[in-house]
Amino acid sequence: MGLIKAAIGAVGGALGDQWLDAIEAEEMSDTTVFTRGVLVNQSSRSSNKKGTENVISDGSVIHVYPNQFMMLVEGGKIVDYTAEEGYYKVDNHGAPSLFNGQFGDALKDVWERFKFGGTPSYAQKAYFVNLQEIKGIKFGTPTAVNYFDNFYNSELFLRAHGTYSIKVTDPILFYKEAIPKNAERVEIDDINEQYLSEFLNAFQAAINKMSVDNIRISHVASKAVELAKYMSNELDADWKTARGFEIAAVGIASISYDDESKKLIEMRNKGAMLSDPTVREGYVQGSIARGMEAAGSNEGGSAQAFMGMGMGLGTAGNFMGTASETNRAQMQQERQQPVAAQPAAGAWKCACGAENTGKFCSNCGAKKPETSSWKCACGAVNTGNFCTACGAKRPEAWVCPNCGTENKGKFCAECGHKREG
């Protein structure tokens, strides 16, 4: 049994005098993962006289579109296949052609496991696997998922809703392990109940790994790419290796927290804000202002209200005053934090430990050490005796006759006197 690839022009020309039936995949939607081949033309010469549905006659032509994997199947066993788009003539007298296409030689090992072992007959059927990314598969966590957040140092619980997508990576394995027996057409929802449960289990494991990697719980929604990688790793053995498909992407539409987690997050955030003395002082002053406003609106009369407020302040005033004074002290302390002194331009440190800016140490009188680097006439800065750029020799030191400064250039670094000779 073999598939003979035909040129597009030949289908309507010389080859058209030979082929009997034309077959292509039944219409696929965005959620179709598997479907049968159907007749799109039946000539008067067809041996398929009775129009037996899905049965392929020797000499028929099969049209394979992009992102489709076509298999010839007999009795549940694969007779031949192609992963390349084009037109193929069915030849039951030839050996399997096995057009691997984008999958290279990876399919040959799987083929050996599931190939047809007998003599091909006329009871063959064509089936197509959708190789496009199947998108928009919805998921939602039925119960809250635990997430330990190191930032909050608490076990939090979240719920997530979104979509994910899959992609078939091994169509032969996918056909044998994921497609129900004798199925003629399969939508992703037809087989997704089991896989959704496995997805949610892997989602919990992926969430736990994100926690271990110190990703804050509030950042999970923005980590869709990383989450897809976590999920792929978790499901690699169960889906890719055992069933021939994998997670392509995960999109989180919303994340919500349970009530206890909300309280913990709010308490932690409020505590972080109040650690700032400026914010804390504003909170104290705001509390006093709100108390005075409430007193002024007291139905018993403002005088009585303010009298009561004065009595209240008599007991609470000390606390408010102390808190306010503490805030101001901390703010003052922060404003007076010493700024690290920046070294003065040209400063150098003597061997005795003293910091200096002049030519001699103010503590022990030692002369300022000479810099070991020098600049060549070509512009290169060097530390050795010869220029690394042009090979010129390092100039010898000379003492300025005007000011006594030791120099190595053409002009005195102190007074500008030009070197003589």
Side-chain angles (χ1 to χ4, degrees), residues 284-316:
V284 171
Q285 298 300 331
S287 297
I288 296 174
R290 286 190 295 273
M292 294 180 69
E293 182 180 358
S297 60
N298 191 301
E299 294 181 356
S302 58
Q304 181 179 350
F306 278 109
M307 182 181 297
M309 181 179 174
M311 294 175 63
L313 286 176
T315 57

Side-chain angles (χ1 to χ4, degrees), residues 22-29 32-40 54 61-71 86 126-130 184-185:
I23 299 169
E24 60 184 36
E26 193 174 45
E27 184 178 355
M28 289 184 176
S29 70
T32 304
V33 295
F34 176 82
T35 189
R36 62 180 181 170
V38 293
L39 296 173
V40 293
N54 237 16
V61 161
I62 300 177
H63 185 193
V64 180
Y65 287 93
N67 285 317
Q68 290 181 346
F69 178 86
M70 191 279 296
M71 301 173 291
Y127 290 106
F128 295 79
V129 175
N130 190 355
E184 297 286 296
R185 181 182 181 88

Side-chain angles (χ1 to χ4, degrees), residues 243-296:
R243 291 163 179 157
F245 66 100
E246 66 181 6
I247 289 284
V250 177
I252 299 178
S254 65
I255 282 183
S256 59
Y257 311 114
D258 70 350
D259 292 339
E260 288 302 316
S261 296
K262 288 179 181 177
K263 291 178 182 177
L264 284 171
I265 292 172
E266 182 179 356
M267 181 175 65
R268 174 65 176 80
N269 291 342
K270 184 179 293 185
M273 290 177 61
L274 292 178
S275 65
D276 185 331
T278 305
V279 175
R280 195 165 60 242
E281 177 62 14
Y283 183 80
V284 171
Q285 298 300 331
S287 297
I288 296 174
R290 286 190 295 273
M292 294 180 69
E293 182 180 358

Side-chain angles (χ1 to χ4, degrees), residues 359-360 367-371 394-401 403-409 411-415:
K359 296 178 182 179
F360 298 92
K367 188 176 181 181
K368 179 180 178 181
E370 297 179 8
T371 177
R394 180 173 184 167
E396 296 179 359
W398 60 278
V399 178
C400 177
C403 63
T405 302
E406 188 174 296
N407 302 278
K408 293 184 178 180
F411 295 90
C412 176
E414 183 68 24
C415 68

Side-chain angles (χ1 to χ4, degrees), residues 55-277:
V55 175
I56 298 174
S57 305
D58 189 21
S60 299
V61 161
I62 300 177
H63 185 193
V64 180
Y65 287 93
N67 285 317
Q68 290 181 346
F69 178 86
M70 191 279 296
M71 301 173 291
L72 290 179
V73 177
E74 182 172 338
K77 293 288 186 177
I78 301 173
V79 176
D80 203 347
Y81 65 77
T82 178
E84 299 176 12
E85 61 182 283
Y87 290 91
Y88 296 86
K89 179 186 175 184
V90 178
D91 181 8
N92 285 330
H93 306 289
S97 302
L98 310 179
F99 294 97
N100 293 310
Q102 60 181 287
F103 299 101
D105 294 332
L107 287 181
K108 290 185 178 180
D109 293 337
V110 186
W111 156 261
E112 290 298 324
R113 293 166 52 191
F114 301 118
K115 68 181 180 180
F116 183 75
T119 302
S121 67
Y122 291 96
Q124 298 156 15
K125 297 182 179 182
Y127 290 106
F128 295 79
V129 175
N130 190 355
L131 299 181
Q132 286 185 315
E133 183 179 350
I134 307 299
K135 303 177 181 178
I137 308 172
K138 295 182 179 181
F139 77 91
T141 53
T143 58
V145 177
N146 64 298
Y147 191 101
F148 185 84
D149 193 306
N150 287 297
F151 177 78
Y152 294 108
N153 194 30
S154 299
E155 191 80 34
L156 305 176
F157 293 84
L158 61 83
R159 289 186 175 88
H161 295 82
T163 60
Y164 68 96
S165 62
I166 65 168
K167 188 172 179 63
V168 175
T169 56
D170 189 330
I172 294 179
L173 188 62
F174 180 73
Y175 166 69
K176 298 301 293 184
E177 301 297 339
I179 299 301
K181 187 177 181 181
N182 298 324
E184 297 286 296
R185 181 182 181 88
V186 177
E187 302 291 327
I188 186 60
D189 289 341
D190 298 332
I191 59 175
N192 194 46
E193 182 176 358
Q194 170 67 27
Y195 302 135
L196 180 58
S197 298
E198 295 177 8
F199 174 90
L200 292 175
N201 289 336
F203 183 82
Q204 169 73 80
I207 285 293
N208 290 340
K209 286 190 175 181
M210 294 179 78
S211 170
V212 171
D213 291 342
N214 292 327
I215 296 175
R216 286 182 57 179
I217 194 170
S218 57
H219 296 169
V220 171
S222 64
K223 300 290 183 180
V225 175
E226 292 87 341
L227 183 58
K229 292 179 182 178
Y230 283 112
M231 297 290 291
S232 295
N233 293 336
E234 287 298 318
L235 292 170
D236 185 65
D238 292 334
W239 284 13
K240 186 175 182 179
T241 305
R243 291 163 179 157
F245 66 100
E246 66 181 6
I247 289 284
V250 177
I252 299 178
S254 65
I255 282 183
S256 59
Y257 311 114
D258 70 350
D259 292 339
E260 288 302 316
S261 296
K262 288 179 181 177
K263 291 178 182 177
L264 284 171
I265 292 172
E266 182 179 356
M267 181 175 65
R268 174 65 176 80
N269 291 342
K270 184 179 293 185
M273 290 177 61
L274 292 178
S275 65
D276 185 331

Side-chain angles (χ1 to χ4, degrees), residues 354-377:
E355 296 281 349
N356 303 278
T357 56
K359 296 178 182 179
F360 298 92
C361 178
S362 59
N363 183 52
C364 67
K367 188 176 181 181
K368 179 180 178 181
E370 297 179 8
T371 177
S372 59
S373 63
W374 58 280
K375 189 172 183 180
C376 180

